[in-house]
Amino acid sequence: MAKAVTDEDLERVVQAYARAALDPGEWLGALEQTSDLIGASACTLEYVDQNSGEGSMECSFQLEGNVLREYEERMIHINPRVGRAM
């Protein structure tokens, strides 16, 4: 049975993403909190810095190199802006 999500749970997750918006080094912690809360094996975020054009991916589960490359290829195929940025 799934755990009920409380207001306090949601507040912690929202605060984690607010910190991550100010400090990109906090993205992984926010993703880990989310995956723990919803019972997911992993949560992933892809984003592109609009100022530098740098593409980045954060995942709360450590991926092996070949899996990461395949994932990045699919991400680029689905969203060409990410490929251009990278």
Side-chain angles (χ1 to χ4, degrees):
M1 178 175 246
K3 175 189 165 220
V5 177
T6 67
D7 289 343
E8 291 81 18
D9 293 331
L10 292 176
E11 184 177 343
R12 280 195 306 277
V13 170
V14 168
Q15 288 175 353
Y17 282 99
R19 286 190 305 274
L22 297 173
D23 178 5
E26 298 286 330
W27 280 117
L28 188 55
L31 293 170
E32 287 172 344
Q33 281 192 26
T34 304
S35 63
D36 290 347
L37 179 65
I38 64 174
S41 58
C43 287
T44 304
L45 173 75
E46 304 107 16
Y47 61 95
V48 176
D49 185 309
Q50 291 184 347
N51 295 319
S52 69
E54 180 181 354
S56 181
M57 180 178 74
E58 296 289 341
C59 182
S60 61
F61 181 79
Q62 184 64 39
L63 300 175
E64 294 178 7
N66 62 328
V67 174
L68 181 59
R69 281 188 299 281
E70 288 179 15
Y71 187 90
E72 287 175 340
E73 288 171 5
R74 290 180 184 144
M75 178 176 70
I76 290 168
H77 177 73
I78 292 168
N79 188 347
R81 290 183 304 161
V82 174
R84 286 192 299 273
M86 294 177 81

